[in-house]
Amino acid sequence: MSSIEEEELRRRKLEEALEVKSLRRIISAYLNYPEAAEEDIRRYERCFRRLPLAHKALLSHLPLKFQKLRWSVSQNSYFIFEMLKAFDPPLDMSADIHISEDQVMENSSDNHLLSGERNLLPCQSGSNSGKLRLTNADELGCGEGSIGTDGSLKQETVSEKTKEEKTESLNNNVGCSGGINCNGEIDAVNNGCEDVNNSLPLPSTHDCHGHVSSSSPDWLDPSLQFHVPLVDVDKVRCIIRNIVRDWAAEGQQERDECYTPILKELERLFPHRSRNSPPACLVPGAGLGRLALEISCLGFISQGNEFSYYMMICSSFILNHAQIAEEWTIYPWIHSNCNSLSDDDQLRPVSIPDIHPASAGITEGFSMCGGDFVEVYNDPSQVGVWDAVVTCFFIDTAHNIVEYIEIISRVLKDGGVWINLGPLLYHFADMYNQEDEMSIELSLEDVKRVACHFGFEMEKESTIATTYTTNARSMMQNRYYAAFWTMRKKPLPQRENRS
């Protein structure tokens, strides 16, 4: 073996070790959730014990509330653990991950390599779909994907047409193909393409609340887990709130404010959608999958793109393992005692999902590509592929928003449309002590000017007031006045004539 080959092998082994470490950290954050919640409850109890007796008498109901909080945490923990048991890691999670600091700095241009995901503001993102199959870099090909060194997917297939036959991708390059089987279930590439209803773990035990549980896979062994900082556990709590936005009846108001205008605009712009040749719509920042699913149900080939493994693990579980509507119960609001109208509001349960995803009526081609938007869609195979790009609470996740706009223009066909809804709360704007963390923060006026430079023409523009993962019964409601627009990519001759 030559020295060049040895160096390449060393580099690949290091990258895989970084990938495993990153994914273990994300899984550990989920598994650390009950411990972190218990510590909060103990703090509440310590504070209560310090009260004077007369004050304790006035608040004699609080010890019972603390026990109810513990019970609610146990229900959230059960959902999380069942979700993790259904996850199929793309890597050998028992692999040796001993990495020196020098190796990390030598092989990484990103200081956040082991953070589990980029440092996004915890509560913003968009949608996802189908069963996730995560593949190793060696398997990368049509319809398959690889994990990046930061724990993100490069590409990923989410669904297939039937157990026997995969549908083709839009251009057989990124290759994220998808569809539904004859039973109306979302299928996916997963070592034999199991049905949604047949892919749940076999039950073996019952927990103390009567739930059926199953034995956990080897990679969930405690010896393979990390003790993670609380900021990682906060991301898990944020995911629980995001579930309400995308997959609960209680989130319908936010979906009506954010998703409905987008869906109506797509229907207006594509009134004659052919079942044999449906228009193709890309949804970057796809989050937990609802918007991409709704677009698919309108009769589009819909492909979500999501960077965060926190999001992808959860969306895969909901989309592939929910067998009926309202199968699961979570308690999303228990982690804040502030601005509550009543204890009952704080402790209220939320049933998910509000619909059965596999029975929603998706269009063949419903799929997901995981990974960084720039890395995945800057590929030459993506040039001029999409009829529409939909961005919802996404464009301000960029390090360089100009690059986002350039890629959106590049992947659209001439005459294609870009529908956007969201604020400009730049996620990397306040990264203190991160001197190398790039963040380009433009005004809305500048964003529109840059879009014009890359061939976009504004067709429709308005402002929409909305919230994001907000507790509807909280005394504090943060509202965005989000920019909503439809821009069309001008044909090339028209752009040349104007330049």
Side-chain angles (χ1 to χ4, degrees):
M1 183 180 294
S2 68
S3 59
I4 296 177
E5 290 174 329
E6 288 179 350
E7 176 63 24
E8 175 64 17
L9 180 61
R10 187 192 69 83
R11 184 190 64 80
R12 291 183 64 180
K13 285 184 176 180
L14 175 59
E15 284 187 354
E16 182 172 348
L18 290 168
E19 292 162 8
V20 171
K21 188 169 186 177
S22 177
L23 188 50
R24 279 197 205 169
R25 178 167 175 172
I26 293 167
I27 292 167
S28 297
Y30 273 114
L31 292 176
N32 278 207
Y33 165 83
E35 179 184 347
E38 173 61 22
E39 183 53 44
D40 286 342
I41 297 169
R42 289 175 180 168
R43 177 169 55 85
Y44 305 155
E45 291 174 329
R46 288 195 299 270
C47 292
F48 178 77
R49 287 195 296 268
R50 293 168 62 185
L51 288 173
L53 287 176
H55 295 180
K56 285 182 182 178
L58 286 171
L59 303 174
S60 60
H61 65 287
L62 286 185
L64 178 59
K65 175 187 174 180
F66 300 150
Q67 291 308 309
K68 289 180 178 178
L69 284 172
R70 281 193 173 89
W71 189 87
S72 301
V73 168
S74 75
Q75 303 309 291
N76 289 349
S77 301
Y78 176 76
F79 172 81
I80 287 169
F81 198 55
E82 292 300 299
M83 176 185 74
L84 292 177
K85 286 191 290 185
F87 175 55
D88 184 16
L91 299 161
D92 179 6
M93 299 299 288
S94 63
D96 179 23
I97 58 167
H98 179 70
I99 308 164
S100 70
E101 196 68 28
D102 290 341
Q103 285 177 303
V104 173
M105 298 306 296
E106 178 185 349
N107 288 272
S108 170
S109 59
D110 288 339
N111 292 331
H112 56 261
L113 201 63
L114 299 179
S115 68
E117 63 172 350
R118 296 185 194 272
N119 296 306
L120 300 183
L121 188 74
C123 289
Q124 284 194 8
S125 212
S127 49
N128 188 351
S129 71
K131 174 177 284 184
L132 305 180
R133 176 185 184 241
L134 315 184
T135 62
N136 294 320
D138 293 341
E139 300 177 78
L140 184 59
C142 178
E144 297 182 343
S146 67
I147 295 282
T149 54
D150 46 15
S152 66
L153 283 167
K154 300 297 183 186
Q155 297 175 351
E156 172 187 13
T157 295
V158 184
S159 47
E160 63 171 6
K161 184 175 181 180
T162 66
K163 291 184 180 180
E164 294 78 26
E165 178 184 10
K166 302 176 188 176
T167 55
E168 294 181 352
S169 65
L170 293 174
N171 58 6
N172 289 324
N173 287 301
V174 168
C176 296
S177 59
I180 52 178
N181 66 22
C182 58
N183 296 318
E185 299 163 341
I186 302 173
D187 282 340
V189 182
N190 187 25
N191 299 330
C193 311
E194 301 168 311
D195 286 346
V196 173
N197 290 338
N198 291 332
S199 58
L200 289 171
L202 294 175
S204 59
T205 62
H206 290 71
D207 72 2
C208 60
H209 302 290
H211 287 127
V212 177
S213 186
S214 59
S215 56
S216 57
D218 293 341
W219 58 268
L220 281 177
D221 188 293
S223 66
L224 299 177
Q225 309 311 320
F226 301 147
H227 183 76
V228 298
L230 286 177
V231 66
D232 287 12
V233 181
D234 281 341
K235 293 176 184 178
V236 174
R237 294 171 176 176
C238 178
I239 293 296
I240 294 172
R241 296 194 299 273
N242 269 270
I243 295 173
V244 179
R245 174 180 169 88
D246 263 20
W247 295 108
E250 188 172 313
Q252 188 63 55
Q253 181 176 340
E254 283 193 357
R255 294 197 296 274
D256 286 344
E257 291 170 349
C258 293
Y259 298 170
T260 299
I262 291 170
L263 298 171
K264 288 182 176 178
E265 189 68 356
L266 284 170
E267 287 192 288
R268 181 185 72 84
L269 293 165
F270 299 90
H272 307 295
R273 298 181 292 280
S274 167
R275 189 177 183 85
N276 295 326
S277 182
C281 180
L282 175 63
V283 187
L288 293 184
R290 186 59 175 264
L291 180 56
L293 179 139
E294 297 285 359
I295 291 171
S296 177
C297 292
L298 287 182
F300 288 78
I301 293 174
S302 176
Q303 183 173 103
N305 163 241
E306 177 54 47
F307 181 88
S308 169
Y309 244 138
Y310 288 94
M311 292 278 189
M312 292 167 62
I313 292 171
C314 184
S315 63
S316 172
F317 183 64
I318 293 173
L319 287 155
N320 288 287
H321 297 273
Q323 300 188 57
I324 57 172
E326 300 188 342
E327 179 178 0
W328 302 93
T329 300
I330 58 172
Y331 295 79
W333 314 117
I334 59 175
H335 298 295
S336 175
N337 292 323
C338 300
N339 292 305
S340 292
L341 293 171
S342 72
D343 289 346
D344 287 344
D345 282 343
Q346 182 186 2
L347 291 161
R348 72 187 185 275
V350 173
S351 297
I352 58 166
D354 62 313
I355 61 172
H356 181 219
S359 304
I362 63 172
T363 301
E364 287 186 5
F366 182 37
S367 62
M368 177 71 179
C369 278
D372 180 80
F373 171 70
V374 172
E375 292 182 11
V376 175
Y377 293 94
N378 209 20
D379 191 273
S381 66
Q382 289 296 297
V383 174
V385 167
W386 302 93
D387 297 289
V389 174
V390 164
T391 52
C392 184
F393 280 76
F394 171 70
I395 61 173
D396 56 358
T397 67
H399 286 277
N400 177 4
I401 192 172
V402 178
E403 186 175 38
Y404 268 23
I405 297 169
E406 182 179 17
I407 293 172
I408 291 169
S409 174
R410 186 180 301 150
V411 302
L412 277 171
K413 299 175 181 177
D414 282 349
V417 294
W418 173 23
I419 302 172
N420 174 76
L421 190 151
L424 293 174
L425 181 65
Y426 292 101
H427 292 192
F428 297 95
D430 297 319
M431 295 297 294
Y432 301 112
N433 301 320
Q434 296 283 348
E435 294 180 4
D436 296 327
E437 197 73 79
M438 181 178 183
S439 182
I440 304 299
E441 300 132 24
L442 304 183
S443 67
L444 180 58
E445 184 179 87
D446 277 347
V447 169
K448 291 188 284 188
R449 185 174 58 82
V450 170
C452 180
H453 171 79
F454 287 110
F456 285 108
E457 221 168 32
M458 183 73 74
E459 286 194 351
K460 190 175 179 181
E461 184 179 11
S462 64
T463 299
I464 290 179
T466 185
T467 58
Y468 198 97
T469 65
T470 295
N471 181 352
R473 301 186 197 175
S474 172
M475 297 169 66
M476 185 180 73
Q477 303 282 330
N478 291 324
R479 296 192 72 78
Y480 296 94
Y481 293 91
F484 179 48
W485 69 64
T486 297
M487 295 187 189
R488 191 175 297 274
K489 180 181 173 182
K490 295 175 291 190
L492 186 60
Q494 187 179 348
R495 298 204 297 274
E496 290 175 345
N497 292 336
R498 292 195 175 195
S499 60

